[in-house]
């Protein structure tokens, strides 16, 4: 579909500690060759690396780039700040470690027009560079790692609960008050939920793909998924009707593994042999991970394949523990704004 008039778009990027990926991410936006007017708004948090320096250099080299401060460093605050400074009625969200595929913005505007949706998005195509990152990317894309999420694995075009990143109509963002700044994580899912609750349409298209650069260490993956589990529980606390089997599976699995292991240890300590059967839970889980990794990672280099079961276990257990423990301090909220034109 070729539009007779290509509307101007604003690309909003919340950025924090992204010296490794920022130049590539922004460069891919600027190289989109979108037929209409395009601006990029970088909401820069208080980074501990060279992010600010790189952002300043990029802005000096291209007048389409605007930099605004995000003192909190939190993603939803950065998004709302960026949107408030954006000039156009179509808002494209891009993260500092996301790389748009060629033609992404053009196709997204077409899909937005064709579907009549308030937000469209596509596939989060995880892609690693090191052996460890390749294993993390494989876990993202596989049922063994993150289950059957459409925006991780792809699927048919159609209505969706949520999509990766998103290309929004500003009217939809203003209708629901923007991103909830008390949701430090899972803010995209929560926003899309509110858009749907007000009668809006979220649309998934496999034509849209963004390359995602995964975390580069096991500790970083564990921290990421622990926080994800904590905030997923917060979403369910606020919106109980959103609970489903996919989100409850990790905490249930962690509970079963813990109970089985404890029973097995008690059996060994007391000589009650039937309690030793509790060890079947962690043993069965380990065998499942090894078999599943061999299947899902059969195309990986051997070093990446070595990491895959450990990466998957880290994702599952960290998410589950985060969900079970929950947030230690409940955030004040909801903290909604109205991201209008600055």
């Amino acid at each position: 579909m070729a539009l007779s008039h290509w509307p101007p778009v604003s690309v909003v990027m919340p950025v924090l500690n992204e010296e490794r990926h920022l130049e590539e991410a922004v460069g891919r936006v600027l190289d989109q060759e979108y037929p209409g007017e395009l601006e990029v708004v970088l909401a820069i948090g208080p980074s501990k690396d060279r992010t600010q320096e790189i952002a300043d250099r990029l802005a000096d080299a291209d007048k389409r780039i605007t930099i605004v401060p995000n003192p909190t460093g939190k993603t939803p605050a950065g998004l709302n700040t960026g949107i408030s400074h954006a000039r156009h009625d179509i808002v494209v969200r891009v993260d500092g470690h996301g790389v748009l595929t060629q033609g992404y913005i053009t196709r997204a505007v077409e899909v937005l027009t064709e579907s009549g949706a308030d937000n469209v998005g596509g596939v989060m195509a995880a892609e690693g560079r090191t052996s460890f990152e390749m294993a993390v990317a494989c876990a993202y894309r596989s049922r063994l790692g993150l289950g059957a999420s459409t925006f991780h694995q792809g699927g048919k075009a159609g209505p969706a609960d949520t999509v990766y990143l998103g290309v929004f109509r500003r009217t939809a963002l203003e209708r629901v008050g923007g991103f909830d700044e008390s949701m430090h994580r899972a803010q995209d899912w929560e926003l899309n939920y509110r858009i749907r609750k007000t009668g809006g349409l979220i649309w998934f298209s496999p034509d849209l793909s963004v390359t995602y650069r995964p975390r580069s260490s096991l500790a970083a993956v564990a921290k990421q998924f622990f926080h994800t589990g904590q905030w997923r529980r917060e979403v369910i606390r606020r919106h109980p009707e959103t609970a489903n089997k996919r989100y409850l599976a990790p905490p249930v699995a962690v509970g079963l593994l813990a109970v089985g292991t404890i029973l097995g240890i008690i059996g060994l300590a007391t000589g009650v042999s039937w309690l030793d059967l509790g060890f079947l839970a962690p043993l069965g889980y380990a065998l499942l991970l090894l078999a599943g990794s061999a299947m899902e990672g059969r195309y990986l280099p051997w070093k990446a394949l070595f990491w895959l079961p450990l990466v998957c276990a880290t994702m599952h257990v960290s998410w589950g523990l985060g969900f079970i423990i929950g947030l230690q301090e409940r955030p004040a909220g909801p903290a909604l704004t109205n991201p209008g034109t600055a």
Side-chain angles (χ1 to χ4, degrees):
M1 172 184 178
L3 301 181
S4 58
H5 169 69
W6 292 92
V9 301
S10 298
V11 177
V12 174
M13 301 178 64
V15 180
L16 180 72
N17 296 325
E18 290 289 359
E19 73 170 2
R20 185 180 177 194
H21 302 300
L22 182 60
E23 189 161 4
E24 179 185 24
V26 173
R28 191 62 65 89
V29 172
L30 298 176
D31 292 341
Q32 283 283 297
E33 298 182 353
Y34 177 66
E37 183 181 350
L38 179 145
E39 69 168 352
V40 180
V41 182
L42 303 179
I44 308 294
S47 300
K48 298 178 181 179
D49 57 13
R50 296 176 52 250
T51 293
Q52 185 71 56
E53 175 187 334
I54 294 170
D56 290 339
R57 174 165 52 80
L58 293 172
D60 288 341
D62 197 306
K63 64 181 180 180
R64 291 174 292 177
I65 300 174
T66 300
I67 295 176
V68 297
N70 174 25
T72 71
K74 303 300 183 184
T75 297
L79 287 165
N80 284 338
T81 298
I83 293 167
S84 72
H85 285 80
R87 296 183 291 116
H88 303 312
D89 292 333
I90 294 179
V91 178
V92 181
R93 175 183 173 178
V94 179
D95 284 345
H97 47 270
V99 181
L100 301 185
T101 52
Q102 192 61 38
Y104 174 92
I105 295 177
T106 299
R107 181 59 187 144
V109 172
E110 290 177 337
V111 173
L112 202 64
T113 302
E114 294 166 0
S115 65
D118 284 319
N119 179 23
V120 302
V123 179
M124 176 183 174
E127 184 178 300
R129 289 166 170 155
T130 67
S131 296
F132 178 82
E133 291 171 358
M134 290 178 188
V136 178
C138 180
Y140 266 100
R141 297 191 302 266
S142 72
R143 290 179 179 272
L144 182 67
L146 292 185
S149 173
T150 302
F151 74 71
H152 287 297
Q153 295 187 334
K156 295 182 179 179
D161 288 343
T162 192
V163 289
Y164 182 51
L165 299 181
V167 177
F168 300 86
R169 299 183 191 273
R170 180 187 286 273
T171 52
L173 295 171
E174 293 176 346
R175 185 176 75 239
V176 300
F179 287 88
D180 184 342
E181 295 186 13
S182 71
M183 291 292 301
H184 299 168
R185 301 219 177 194
Q187 67 279 150
D188 48 354
W189 198 101
E190 198 274 340
L191 172 73
N192 285 320
Y193 174 77
R194 284 186 284 118
I195 291 176
R196 290 188 289 110
K197 289 289 283 185
T198 58
L201 175 64
I202 311 300
W203 190 268
F204 170 83
S205 172
D207 295 343
L208 305 176
S209 181
V210 179
T211 299
Y212 170 81
R213 301 300 186 193
R215 300 298 195 272
S216 57
S217 72
L218 200 63
V221 170
K223 181 179 179 180
Q224 177 189 14
F225 277 81
F226 180 80
H227 290 317
T228 298
Q230 288 181 302
W231 285 99
R232 177 55 58 188
R233 178 171 172 178
E234 178 64 16
V235 171
I236 293 175
R237 184 188 71 82
R238 297 187 187 192
H239 308 293
E241 67 277 14
T242 66
N244 61 41
K245 292 185 292 184
R246 178 169 171 262
Y247 297 128
L248 296 177
V252 170
V254 168
L256 292 175
L257 288 172
V259 170
T261 302
I262 291 170
L263 289 177
I265 292 173
I266 292 174
L268 289 177
T270 62
V272 181
S273 59
W274 65 268
L275 291 177
D276 295 347
L277 295 175
F279 285 127
L280 291 177
L283 177 61
Y285 176 70
L287 292 175
L288 176 65
L289 282 181
L290 291 173
S293 295
M295 177 63 67
E296 296 285 357
R298 59 190 181 278
Y299 301 116
L300 291 175
W302 72 267
K303 289 183 179 179
L305 181 58
F306 169 82
W307 278 112
L308 185 56
L310 185 56
V311 165
C312 289
T314 300
M315 288 179 170
H316 299 161
V317 174
S318 298
W319 177 310
L321 284 174
F323 189 97
I324 291 169
I325 294 171
L327 296 174
Q328 298 304 295
E329 294 184 10
R330 187 164 293 173
L336 304 179
T337 64
N338 191 357
T341 303

